[in-house]
């Protein structure tokens, strides 16, 4: 028996704002969408156009809080970039860098719902 990664889920408060962020910050594009017949939820899968792994964004109509409890920001998603300098500059201009670790050569950005995304250099 073998398992392979399919997707990760982030629940979001403002779906359109999140879609715009992931498109601009990481180049992720919508690959599919499921909307509940009663409008109670929308699930959008984002892809990077290279791997099969997807990021699932879930919007819940009846969610009454203005945020999700994300613990201590230890839970995160990581993406590789082939141009760390250009990526860092873009994210700095967007104002979404929330933590940097220069000694490790990585940094984190924060999405509109405060999920952290680690940016790492592509390994050669």
């Amino acid at each position: 028996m073998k398992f392979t990664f399919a997707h990760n889920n982030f629940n979001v408060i403002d779906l359109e704002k999140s879609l715009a962020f992931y498109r601009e910050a990481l180049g992720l594009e919508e690959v599919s969408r499921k909307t509940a017949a009663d409008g109670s939820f929308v699930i959008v899968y984002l892809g990077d156009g290279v791997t099969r792994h997807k990021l699932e964004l879930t919007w819940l109509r009846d969610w009454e809080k203005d945020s999700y409890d994300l613990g201590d920001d230890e839970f995160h998603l990581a993406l590789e970039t082939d141009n760390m300098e250009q990526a860092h500059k873009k994210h700095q201009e967007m104002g979404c860098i929330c933590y940097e670790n220069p000694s490790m050569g990585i940094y984190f950005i924060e999405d509109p719902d405060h999920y952290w995304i680690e940016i790492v250099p592509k390994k050669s």
Side-chain angles (χ1 to χ4, degrees), residues 18-59:
S18 293
L19 290 171
F21 173 84
Y22 282 99
R23 188 178 313 107
E24 181 180 354
L26 300 167
L28 301 182
E29 295 291 338
E30 182 174 332
V31 294
S32 65
R33 178 182 291 240
K34 177 178 173 96
T35 303
D38 65 359
S40 62
F41 69 84
V42 178
I43 296 173
V44 176
Y45 290 95
L46 303 178
D48 60 16
V50 178
T51 66
R52 292 179 48 194
H53 190 269
K54 303 293 181 266
L55 175 59
E56 173 187 334
L57 300 182
T58 301
W59 172 82

Side-chain angles (χ1 to χ4, degrees), residues 2-115:
K2 181 175 171 91
F3 296 92
T4 59
F5 283 104
H7 66 268
N8 290 81
N9 175 74
F10 285 171
N11 282 25
V12 300
I13 300 297
D14 183 332
L15 182 58
E16 293 309 315
K17 186 175 182 179
S18 293
L19 290 171
F21 173 84
Y22 282 99
R23 188 178 313 107
E24 181 180 354
L26 300 167
L28 301 182
E29 295 291 338
E30 182 174 332
V31 294
S32 65
R33 178 182 291 240
K34 177 178 173 96
T35 303
D38 65 359
S40 62
F41 69 84
V42 178
I43 296 173
V44 176
Y45 290 95
L46 303 178
D48 60 16
V50 178
T51 66
R52 292 179 48 194
H53 190 269
K54 303 293 181 266
L55 175 59
E56 173 187 334
L57 300 182
T58 301
W59 172 82
L60 302 171
R61 179 190 63 205
D62 298 330
W63 185 258
E64 296 178 0
K65 299 176 188 172
D66 62 355
S67 66
Y68 285 93
D69 180 0
L70 305 182
D72 295 321
D73 294 324
E74 291 299 323
F75 169 78
H76 66 273
L77 188 65
L79 279 86
E80 292 181 332
T81 180
D82 61 355
N83 191 326
M84 197 70 163
E85 185 178 322
Q86 187 177 19
H88 187 274
K89 182 179 181 210
K90 177 178 192 58
H91 294 143
Q92 196 167 40
E93 289 169 357
M94 290 178 67
C96 62
I97 295 175
C98 58
Y99 179 78
E100 297 188 61
N101 188 327
S103 66
M104 290 181 68
I106 63 169
Y107 66 93
F108 290 79
I109 61 175
E110 187 175 48
D111 86 349
D113 292 280
H114 309 291
Y115 291 101

